[in-house]
Amino acid sequence: AQSVTQLGSHVSVSEGALVLLRCNYSSSVPPYLFWYVQYPNQGLQLLLKYTTGATLVKGINGFEAEFKKSETSFHLTKPSAHMSDAAEYFCAVSEGAAGNKLTFGGGTRVLVKP
Amino acid sequence: EAEVAQSPRYKITEKSQAVAFWCDPISGHATLYWYRQILGQGPELLVQFQDESVVDDSQLPKDRFSAERLKGVDSTLKIQPAELGDSAMYLCASSLSGNNEKLFFGSGTQLSVL
């Protein structure tokens, strides 16, 4: 079975500071990995995804994530936080091929301080 | 940009009553998902449709929950009778081909059971 662990349910960063959200996964087959963002009163939006190939993945709004197989991690980073980055972020895993369901982590809520 | 429509946005009901949620996916999306998101947790898949057929309902509490997508377009999720523990956000999502690579989420229905 697949699972996702997000370390830290809440993260507070200053505007302009590095954003680092941690995600570790378990999967019995090569995983597909995703980060979704949920703004208040909205549905989830895809930030970025890793399927195969390059392990450093760039997404929307300046976010990127690196797949590290040896560490079973897929941490999300952004060099400089903006007030508009305040939201909840979810890491998710599916077991590779098409049609497999997504399993989400518990989420990390990001607060950006001016 | 096309969106996944859900209604109602909020629903308050008493335990033992019946409730129903509606979802209209993005036009042309063959795959439709219902997720439940309990406060402080990530979304959990309840049921997945491919056109009008259920492909995964392993996490759906079938004694009280039912879901249908009769014409392979919009979908209804029903709970009867509602219990206090059903209080959660119910999210609908759709994708073009069911490959889980990109899901488009609606804004959800927030259910409160009193």
Side-chain angles (χ1 to χ4, degrees):
Chain A
Q2 58 201 30
S3 66
V4 176
T5 302
Q6 292 185 240
L7 298 178
S9 59
H10 291 80
V11 168
S12 180
V13 299
S14 297
E15 192 174 18
L18 171 72
V19 179
L20 170 60
L21 305 182
R22 300 180 186 275
C23 171
N24 289 90
Y25 69 90
S26 68
S27 176
S28 56
V29 299
Y32 287 3
L33 295 158
F34 309 81
W35 276 99
Y36 280 82
V37 60
Q38 186 176 30
Y39 298 103
N41 298 313
Q42 296 185 26
L44 282 72
Q45 302 173 34
L46 181 66
L47 267 181
L48 51 78
K49 64 184 181 187
Y50 167 79
T51 54
T52 59
T55 57
L56 182 62
V57 180
K58 295 186 184 299
I60 61 172
N61 302 337
F63 284 93
E64 63 182 34
E66 186 172 12
F67 169 59
K68 292 188 176 180
K69 182 179 178 181
S70 62
E71 299 178 7
T72 61
S73 69
F74 191 58
H75 302 332
L76 181 71
T77 60
K78 181 174 180 178
S80 177
H82 191 271
M83 297 299 291
S84 60
D85 295 326
E88 190 153 21
Y89 293 79
F90 294 93
C91 183
V93 62
S94 72
E95 288 186 337
N100 289 299
K101 70 179 182 181
L102 281 178
T103 298
F104 286 87
T108 298
R109 185 169 297 279
V110 172
L111 172 66
V112 182
K113 298 177 294 184
Chain B
E1 183 176 70
E3 295 182 346
V4 175
Q6 287 189 250
S7 66
R9 185 70 181 90
Y10 301 95
K11 180 68 178 179
I12 299 174
T13 191
E14 293 184 347
K15 64 180 181 179
S16 79
Q17 296 299 303
V19 292
F21 314 131
W22 177 80
C23 172
D24 190 12
I26 292 173
S27 178
H29 280 195
T31 310
L32 184 147
Y33 312 79
W34 283 102
Y35 282 85
R36 177 172 60 187
Q37 185 178 14
I38 296 171
L39 188 64
Q41 300 181 21
E44 174 194 27
L45 180 67
L46 292 176
V47 61
Q48 177 181 344
F49 289 92
Q50 184 68 26
D51 299 310
E52 67 275 9
S53 300
V54 173
V55 297
D56 187 345
D57 63 356
S58 57
Q59 300 302 310
L60 188 71
K62 299 182 187 63
D63 57 334
R64 297 185 301 107
F65 285 64
S66 64
E68 61 183 17
R69 192 184 185 199
L70 293 176
K71 297 183 178 179
V73 182
D74 58 338
S75 175
T76 302
L77 179 69
K78 298 179 181 178
I79 308 174
Q80 182 173 19
E83 296 181 353
L84 296 178
D86 297 331
S87 295
M89 175 74 80
Y90 290 83
L91 295 166
C92 179
S94 69
S95 68
L96 192 60
S97 62
N99 62 8
N100 275 320
E101 286 208 359
K102 184 171 183 178
L103 272 61
F104 294 81
F105 282 83
S107 297
T109 295
Q110 181 67 54
L111 173 66
S112 296
V113 182
L114 307 178

